[in-house]
């Protein structure tokens, strides 16, 4: 019975790499080839012989074959190594004979080969003691890529050495690829982390900015609540102070013969100073209210050039003595804004520029005012000075209400805060850039007006003299203000009341030509009076004039507009009250039958 041929023994897979053999003896080269590149026929012959002799399948292993390249001289080997380096098939191992006359010897060639290829494994083959080990160690340094093979060598030794060095070379290649891939992964991860860090920093910056804006909004909200109460508490006494001052001034004017001229002149001056103090308090309260609630005046098409010229003229001599004014006005389209408010903004900015100069020196001090179009839909107004500038730490606070770098008593700190409210209320923006010691630049950008543009309706009235024989009902919870109104309207039929219920009862008994009613009252407010009169006595509701000393909420302002009632801010002058009353009396009186 014929037995099947012997099966080869499975062995661990060993990677195969190219081998370079350098020797000047062709016989040695042939020996290396027979060891590292055995033909398959030799292996089959050994198996057949074993089966014939022993009658059973053999166990001859499969021997790997290594791609082999030979060279007779060191220079040729270097050329072959250089050509293979960096290609898909580099050399893994090089067997180099030490003696190869007449060219480079093996040690010199191996030294250059190690420098040329950073991965190749070198085996020095020698039968003579041309170099001592100490010399070789000195020449090659501390390297793990050099081995010494003594001649004559055993074929098994050569094969095992080659297999081990090729495997080591493959591991080194794998390690290098792994390190390269790892470095690439680290770079990619580092880049991702850097981008994430940048995004995180950006988000943190945005969050900090949002928190700052929220904090500022909360402060404004708190200021609004404070202003609503404080303004009401200030404006009420301010109203009767102003009214009483007007009353005393009017009495003195009509009774000049009762006092000596000198005493009369001194009293008149005292009253004038008191009126100026009232005006200053009124401006501060008005600016605070404007900052908190904005302006309800209509925004209409206007030219910024004339408004700037009027602001410059208003400051006039004081600004001209301190600095040289330079103008650079381009032709610009109309903007949508409130003329007198924009003029107020320009005055505030120019005043700050003037105060940026510590001394009067028009030769050195410069204020450049520029007006130019910005894009197709905006107009830019810029005021630039070369004054003292603003410290960097203060730049973030310049729009905060009541913040000022001026000495106590030289400013309220509301100029830029109010200006920002005015500009943003019409859809514009304002920016301040400054370098301490070099100057400040304030830029205002306003939207271009479109044909027929108008942000709100506005009612105007001219100062008037109160008609006689008017019946007036004055409703307020402050007795001092009621007495002041009685003095102001002493030539007319004035009835006073402190509650809405009392006013409704009086209105049912008789018809009043005018009803002056405070918006904020204890219990039921002035708007509830208007609402009930509109239902029960519409003709009487048409004669209501509301008064307010506080800051109205958006809902209250909407309710007032819906009711169609004029509203006058406290404190008011006699002329202002007369103008509002005249406007209200333009409606034809429709008295009830029992009036």
């Amino acid at each position: 019975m014929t037995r099947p041929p012997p099966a080869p023994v499975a062995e661990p897979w060993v990677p195969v790499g190219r081998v370079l053999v350098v020797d000047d003896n062709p016989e040695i080269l042939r020996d290396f080839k027979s060891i590292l590149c055995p033909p398959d026929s030799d292996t089959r012959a050994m198996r057949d012989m074993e089966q014939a002799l022993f009658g059973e399948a053999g166990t001859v292993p499969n021997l790997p074959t290594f791609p082999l390249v030979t060279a007779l001289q060191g220079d040729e080997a270097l050329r072959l190594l250089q050509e293979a380096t960096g290609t898909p098939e580099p050399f893994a191992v090089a067997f180099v004979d030490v003696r190869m006359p007449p060219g480079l010897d093996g040690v010199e060639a191996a030294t250059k080969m190690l420098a040329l290829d950073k991965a190749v494994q070198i085996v020095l083959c020698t039968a003579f003691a041309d170099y001592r080990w100490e010399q070789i160690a000195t020449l090659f340094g501390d390297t793990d890529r050099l081995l010494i093979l003594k001649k004559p060598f055993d074929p098994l030794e050569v094969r095992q050495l080659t297999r081990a060095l090729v495997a080591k070379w493959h591991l080194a290649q794998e390690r290098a690829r792994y390190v390269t891939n790892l470095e690439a992964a680290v770079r990619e991860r580092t880049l991702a982390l850097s981008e994430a860090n940048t995004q995180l920093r950006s988000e943190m910056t945005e969050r900090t900015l949002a928190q700052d804006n929220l904090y500022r909004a909360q402060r404004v909200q708190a200021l609004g609540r404070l202003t609503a109460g404080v303004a009401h508490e200030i404006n009420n006494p301010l109203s009767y102070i102003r009214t009483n001052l007007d009353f005393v001034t009017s009495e003195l004017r009509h009774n000049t013969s009762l006092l000596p001229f000198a005493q009369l002149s001194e009293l008149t001056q005292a009253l004038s100073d008191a009126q100026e103090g009232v005006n200053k308090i009124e401006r501060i309260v008005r600016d605070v209210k404007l900052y908190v609630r904005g302006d309800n005046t209509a925004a209409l098409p206007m030219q910024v050039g004339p408004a700037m010229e009027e602001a410059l003229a208003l400051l006039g001599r004081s600004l001209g003595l301190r600095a040289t004014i330079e103008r650079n006005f381009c032709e610009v389209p109309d903007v949508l804004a409130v003329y007198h408010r924009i003029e107020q903004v320009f005055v505030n900015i120019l005043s700050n520029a003037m105060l940026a100069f510590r001394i009067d020196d028009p030769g050195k001090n410069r204020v450049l005012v520029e007006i130019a179009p910005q894009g197709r839909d905006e107009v830019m107004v810029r005021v630039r000075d070369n004054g003292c500038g603003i410290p960097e730490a203060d730049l973030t606070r310049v729009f905060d209400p009541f913040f000022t770098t001026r000495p106590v008593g030289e400013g309220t700190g509301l100029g830029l805060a109010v200006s920002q409210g005015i500009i943003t209320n019409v859809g514009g923006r304002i920016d301040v850039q400054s370098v301490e010691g070099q100057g400040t630049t304030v830029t205002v950008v306003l939207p271009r007006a479109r044909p027929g543009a108008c942000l709100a309706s506005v009612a105007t009235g001219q100062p008037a003299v109160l008609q006689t024989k008017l019946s007036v009902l004055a409703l307020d919870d402050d007795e001092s203000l009621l007495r002041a109104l009685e003095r102001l309207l002493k030539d007319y039929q004035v009835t006073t009341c402190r509650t809405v219920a009392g006013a409704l009862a009086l209105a049912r008994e008789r018809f009043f030509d005018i009803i002056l009613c405070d918006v904020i009252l204890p219990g039921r407010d002035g708007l509830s009076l208007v609402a009930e009169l509109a239902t029960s006595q519409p003709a009487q509701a048409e004669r209501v004039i509301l008064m307010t000393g506080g800051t109205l909420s958006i809902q209250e302002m909407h309710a007032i507009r819906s009711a169609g009632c004029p509203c006058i801010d406290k404190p008011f002058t006699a002329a202002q009250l007369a103008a509002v009353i005249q406007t209200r009396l333009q409606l034809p009186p429709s008295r009830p039958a029992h009036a």
Side-chain angles (χ1 to χ4, degrees):
M1 180 176 178
T2 304
R3 296 186 179 183
V9 177
E11 293 186 357
W13 176 79
V14 177
V16 178
R18 295 180 75 198
V19 178
L20 175 63
V21 180
V22 189
D23 200 299
D24 61 336
N25 187 342
E27 292 295 330
I28 298 294
L29 297 179
R30 282 194 291 270
D31 289 342
F32 268 99
K33 185 174 182 181
S34 64
I35 295 170
L36 300 178
C37 305
D40 292 342
S41 59
D42 293 347
T43 304
R44 288 194 298 270
M46 291 178 65
R47 289 199 192 99
D48 294 341
M49 185 181 297
E50 184 177 16
Q51 184 176 7
L53 291 174
F54 301 103
E56 58 184 13
T59 57
V60 179
N62 282 328
L63 298 177
T65 299
F66 297 95
L68 188 66
V69 179
T70 61
L72 293 171
Q73 291 292 318
D75 292 332
E76 183 185 2
L78 286 173
R79 179 181 58 78
L80 292 171
L81 185 68
Q82 185 173 12
E83 290 175 355
T85 300
T87 68
E89 296 183 347
F91 288 106
V93 181
F95 288 87
V96 184
D97 189 26
V98 172
R99 285 188 176 184
M100 293 182 294
L104 295 173
D105 66 13
V107 173
E108 292 175 316
T111 304
K112 294 183 178 182
M113 293 169 75
L114 288 173
L116 182 62
D117 189 326
K118 302 300 182 183
V120 69
Q121 307 292 314
I122 303 294
V123 180
L124 280 177
C125 305
T126 180
F128 305 96
D130 299 81
Y131 292 90
R132 297 193 307 275
W133 177 249
E134 292 79 5
Q135 289 176 297
I136 293 176
T138 302
L139 287 171
F140 289 96
D142 186 16
T143 177
D144 63 348
R145 294 193 290 137
L146 177 68
L147 290 175
I148 306 296
L149 180 63
K150 293 284 188 177
K151 294 180 181 179
F153 44 76
D154 186 89
L156 182 59
E157 183 181 7
V158 172
R159 178 175 290 281
Q160 291 301 110
L161 186 61
T162 302
R163 290 181 62 168
L165 291 178
V166 168
K168 178 187 174 187
W169 178 82
H170 270 284
L171 290 174
Q173 295 293 97
E174 289 295 328
R175 183 186 65 180
R177 281 192 291 270
Y178 177 78
V179 170
T180 300
N181 293 337
L182 181 61
E183 289 176 346
V186 169
R187 284 194 300 271
E188 183 179 352
R189 182 60 176 164
T190 301
L191 179 61
L193 289 173
S194 177
E195 291 176 351
N197 184 53
T198 301
Q199 183 178 359
L200 180 60
R201 288 180 178 273
S202 176
E203 290 175 356
M204 289 176 63
T205 301
E206 292 177 1
R207 181 173 181 176
T208 300
L209 182 60
Q211 288 176 335
D212 291 343
N213 290 337
L214 176 61
Y215 175 64
R216 182 171 286 118
Q218 288 173 338
R219 284 194 301 169
V220 171
Q221 187 179 24
L223 180 62
R225 290 194 297 266
L226 177 65
T227 302
V230 171
H232 182 267
E233 296 304 319
I234 291 177
N235 282 334
N236 265 358
L238 204 60
S239 295
Y240 55 75
I241 291 172
R242 177 190 287 281
T243 303
N244 288 330
L245 286 173
D246 287 344
F247 172 75
V248 174
T249 301
S250 176
E251 291 297 307
L252 284 176
R253 188 181 300 115
H254 291 91
N255 296 278
T256 55
S257 60
L258 298 179
L259 294 172
F261 177 77
Q263 188 176 1
L264 180 63
S265 179
E266 186 175 356
L267 286 174
T268 303
Q269 184 60 50
L271 290 171
S272 177
D273 293 341
Q275 286 279 19
E276 181 58 32
V278 169
N279 292 339
K280 184 174 292 187
I281 296 172
E282 181 185 358
R283 282 194 298 270
I284 294 173
V285 175
R286 184 181 64 244
D287 285 346
V288 172
K289 290 170 63 178
L290 182 63
Y291 172 74
V292 174
R293 292 297 184 196
D295 191 1
N296 292 323
T297 310
L300 300 170
M302 58 160 284
Q303 276 285 314
V304 294
M308 178 60 76
E309 290 291 0
E310 289 186 19
L312 289 167
L314 187 63
L315 293 174
R317 182 175 175 81
S318 58
L319 181 58
L321 289 175
R322 180 155 289 196
T324 297
I325 309 300
E326 299 176 0
R327 293 171 172 82
N328 184 12
F329 292 2
C330 299
E331 185 176 348
V332 293
D334 286 352
V335 299
L336 190 62
V338 181
Y339 190 92
H340 69 279
R341 292 301 185 196
I342 294 300
E343 183 181 347
Q344 179 184 355
V345 170
F346 294 161
V347 169
N348 290 339
I349 295 172
L350 291 170
S351 298
N352 288 339
M354 180 177 65
L355 294 171
F357 303 112
R358 295 187 172 92
I359 58 173
D360 296 343
D361 189 353
K364 294 182 179 179
N365 301 339
R366 290 285 187 276
V367 175
L368 173 62
V369 182
E370 299 174 275
I371 298 176
Q374 180 164 292
R376 299 178 57 185
D377 299 321
E378 294 178 325
V379 172
M380 180 272 296
V381 180
R382 178 179 292 133
V383 177
R384 178 180 298 154
D385 67 70
N386 62 344
C388 61
I390 303 171
E392 185 177 357
D394 293 338
L395 268 177
T396 58
R397 303 180 59 195
V398 294
F399 293 112
D400 287 356
F402 303 111
F403 174 77
T404 179
T405 57
R406 301 180 197 172
V408 177
E410 292 190 13
T412 61
L414 285 170
L416 284 178
V418 171
S419 297
Q420 185 185 45
I422 293 171
I423 296 300
T424 56
N425 198 47
V426 295
R429 56 188 184 276
I430 181 171
D431 176 68
V432 176
Q433 300 291 329
S434 184
V435 177
E436 190 172 10
Q438 297 184 21
T440 301
T441 300
V442 181
T443 304
V444 174
V445 178
L446 294 167
R448 178 178 179 177
R450 300 299 180 186
C454 178
L455 292 185
S457 60
V458 59
T460 59
Q462 299 297 325
V465 179
L466 295 181
Q467 301 176 16
T468 59
K469 305 301 181 182
L470 292 176
S471 58
V472 178
L473 173 60
L475 172 58
D476 201 289
D477 60 327
D478 194 316
E479 290 187 1
S480 298
L481 179 59
L482 291 175
R483 287 195 297 269
L485 287 173
E486 285 183 298
R487 296 188 191 100
L488 183 65
L489 305 172
K490 63 186 182 72
D491 294 331
Y492 315 112
Q493 302 173 14
V494 180
T495 303
T496 62
C497 183
R498 298 185 60 188
T499 65
V500 171
L504 289 171
L506 290 170
R508 282 192 292 268
E509 295 176 1
R510 57 174 297 191
F511 184 88
F512 290 96
D513 294 296
I514 290 294
I515 297 178
L516 296 174
C517 178
D518 194 15
V519 174
I520 302 174
L521 293 166
R524 300 173 64 183
D525 60 17
L527 290 171
S528 67
L529 172 72
V530 177
E532 186 156 339
L533 287 177
T535 302
S536 60
Q537 297 174 270
Q540 190 72 90
E542 294 174 352
R543 301 307 179 97
V544 175
I545 297 174
L546 295 173
M547 305 179 294
T548 180
T551 304
L552 299 176
S553 67
I554 296 175
Q555 293 80 4
E556 289 171 333
M557 289 188 291
H558 178 73
I560 292 173
R561 285 195 295 268
S562 299
C565 295
C567 185
I568 184 170
D569 286 333
K570 302 175 185 176
F572 45 78
T573 64
Q576 290 171 335
L577 180 60
V580 175
I581 290 176
Q582 183 190 47
T583 301
R584 199 58 167 157
L585 289 176
Q586 289 175 355
L587 295 170
S590 50
R591 297 172 178 264
H594 66 273

